[in-house]
Amino acid sequence: MAVDYTVIVVYLAGMLAMGWWGMRRAKSKSEFLVAGRRLGPWMYSGTMAAIVLGGASTIGGVGLGYQYGLSGAWMVFTIGLGLLALSVFFSARIARLKVYTVSEMLDLRYGGRAGVISGVVMWAYTLMLAVTSTIAYATIFDVIFDMNRTLAIILGGSIVVAYSTLGGMWSITLTDMVQFVVKTVGVLLLLLPIAVVKAGGFGEMKAKLPTEYFDPLGIGGETIFTYVLIYTFGMLIGQDIWQRVFTARSDKVARYGGTVAGTYCLVYAIAGAVIGTAAKVMYPKLPSADAAFATMVKDELPMGVRGLVLAAALAAVMSTSSGALIACATVANNDIWSRLRGVVKAEGAGDEPHDEVKGNRLFILIMGIGVVCIAIALNDVVQALTVAYNLLVAGLLVPILGGLLWKRGTAEGALAAIAAGGLSVVGLMWGYGILANEPIYYGLLTSLAVYVVVSLATKPTDAQVLAAWRERLAGRGAEAEPVAEPAPAPQ
């Protein structure tokens, strides 16, 4: 394993080095939180694909393939569909708003009264997303170094917190690009073909497995529908995803670069399911489906290649973890703490001085330490992630899409929908069980009904607020943000 260890150590050292380099570039709030809004199509596509394809998409996607066959691709496939929908229909408008958080968008649209409560919901979602990603380090480091769970979480989490704190979005963007390349080579170009060959090819796989393993809908229509509600719609409104949209150099980069990233996710989804199906042929009696990825890597790959594929798994976890961490810290500082202190900057004002970078850096450090501590204490990853996504979708989907698509929506309707959707989904999870499908179904319907009824029953949004909103959507209402240094826009 010496060669594999060397590959992993070099990879981790490279992540820290890029964090140090990013620190030199992040000299303003815009540079630190959204990479100066200067990413070109190549970097934008790579980083967007990196953040949405995390440990759940890699290790979990292979596990679903092991359990259900090709239809196990649906979870990751719906993530790709959500990213495509966001990119084609909404990303251009989102990028033109020139904001930092989803809550700032809601304040613009509804007149400044939805920020704190929506920020709390979004903070809870991003926090749990960061926690569940951090827990995944235990699985990967156990395979690599046979390491204690707590120590593995501290090691992996510390590296992510370090480079995220140092350089903010610039560090995360640079590391995500490396992680994107490593994932592509490790999973798509190495593990996928090796797994199929080792399993005897598709003909042998079909001969040894039940026919339902090759049924595109074998996982079940209700499960697929639930994936669409949670993951496709979740991609449309998550702060971690929107914050990447804000990094685009232009609305065209956001649209076309995101479309490329979404298409990549669809390919990645199918690859994970095929790898899992091949693992079922070779190891039909694994103790758990999620062990399929690690078993394939340990037993079937040659040295060096094994280290690269494990680095790919580590890259998948790190990209999601760092993206969720900076999103969590951004929401905590800009949407909750600053508002509660009464120091919210006026809309359209210029960028903050350098001490604003220090404030955001401190929040990343604090949130990062909190994430590592919660990850050590928490065991049930699936339940934590389900709670996070249910709260996000039931609480915020309707007010956000309603604000973008329906001019009659009001602040009162948005606030009522957030409260009704969030409270109802929590109550329904208590009654039906956290992993049941019914809470997200009924919670989302409750939020929609309350939003429409309350909006129609209250006074329409002020005409000046709507006029300012339309100006921002057109890209004319926000002052240009200063750039820290006249570097060329990355491609």
Side-chain angles (χ1 to χ4, degrees), residues 56 128-129 131-136 139 149 290 375 378-388 434-435:
M128 294 316 299
L129 183 61
V131 167
T132 53
S133 300
T134 302
I135 290 174
T139 302
R149 177 184 184 275
D290 284 343
L378 194 65
N379 286 317
D380 201 324
V381 180
V382 175
Q383 289 197 7
L385 196 59
T386 300
V387 171
I434 289 177
L435 299 181

Side-chain angles (χ1 to χ4, degrees), residues 137-400:
Y137 295 128
T139 302
I140 299 170
F141 280 111
D142 178 57
V143 174
I144 300 171
F145 302 117
D146 192 24
M147 187 178 291
N148 172 269
R149 177 184 184 275
T150 299
L151 184 59
I153 290 173
I154 293 172
L155 175 60
S158 297
I159 293 171
V160 170
V161 171
Y163 73 69
S164 300
T165 301
L166 286 173
M169 186 59 80
W170 269 122
S171 295
I172 292 171
T173 296
L174 295 169
T175 53
D176 276 0
M177 280 305 300
V178 175
Q179 289 157 358
F180 170 73
V181 172
V182 170
K183 278 192 288 192
T184 301
V185 174
V187 176
L188 298 185
L189 301 184
L190 292 177
L191 184 58
L192 174 61
I194 289 173
V196 172
V197 170
K198 292 276 189 177
F202 285 103
E204 187 71 13
M205 290 162 64
K206 286 185 176 181
K208 289 187 175 180
L209 294 174
T211 55
E212 56 262 28
Y213 264 71
F214 301 92
D215 180 359
L217 303 179
I219 199 170
E222 184 178 353
T223 298
I224 295 171
F225 181 64
T226 303
Y227 284 159
V228 171
L229 284 183
I230 294 177
Y231 297 113
T232 301
F233 287 153
M235 288 296 105
L236 298 180
I237 58 176
Q239 169 67 24
D240 52 325
I241 310 302
W242 277 43
Q243 198 157 344
R244 297 309 174 96
V245 176
F246 301 151
T247 66
R249 184 174 65 200
S250 67
D251 52 6
K252 289 184 179 180
V253 169
R255 177 179 292 143
Y256 296 115
T259 301
V260 170
T263 305
Y264 178 90
C265 292
L266 303 183
V267 175
Y268 200 89
I270 297 171
V274 171
I275 294 168
T277 304
K280 184 67 175 180
V281 173
M282 291 183 281
Y283 306 96
K285 295 183 179 180
L286 289 176
S288 75
D290 284 343
F293 180 89
T295 304
M296 290 282 289
V297 172
K298 287 175 67 177
D299 296 348
E300 302 298 333
L301 299 183
M303 66 176 183
V305 173
R306 181 170 49 216
L308 184 59
V309 174
L310 287 172
L314 197 57
V317 175
M318 282 187 160
S319 57
T320 300
S321 181
S322 59
L325 177 59
I326 193 172
C328 177
T330 302
V331 170
N333 187 16
N334 291 269
D335 292 337
I336 301 175
W337 177 246
S338 293
R339 293 168 190 266
L340 293 177
R341 291 179 60 212
V343 293
V344 183
K345 186 177 67 173
E347 291 299 342
D351 206 1
E352 302 283 353
H354 183 68
D355 62 354
E356 183 71 7
V357 174
K358 294 180 181 178
N360 282 288
R361 185 173 281 140
L362 177 62
F363 264 84
I364 291 179
L365 180 61
I366 293 171
M367 292 297 110
I369 293 172
V371 163
V372 170
C373 292
I374 295 171
I376 292 171
L378 194 65
N379 286 317
D380 201 324
V381 180
V382 175
Q383 289 197 7
L385 196 59
T386 300
V387 171
Y389 268 102
N390 282 355
L391 276 173
L392 174 72
V393 174
L396 294 180
L397 178 68
V398 170
I400 291 172

Side-chain angles (χ1 to χ4, degrees), residues 34-58:
V34 291
R37 308 187 196 273
R38 292 193 286 143
L39 296 193
W42 164 239
M43 290 193 75
Y44 180 85
S45 298
T47 58
M48 184 62 86
I51 187 176
V52 300
L53 296 174
S57 300
T58 303

Side-chain angles (χ1 to χ4, degrees), residues 50 58 67 69 73 98 220 228 235 251 310 405 437 439-440 456 461 472:
T58 303
Q67 189 173 359
K98 302 296 183 186
V228 171
M235 288 296 105
D251 52 6
L310 287 172
L405 301 174
N437 293 326
I440 188 60
L456 292 176
T461 304
R472 292 291 285 265

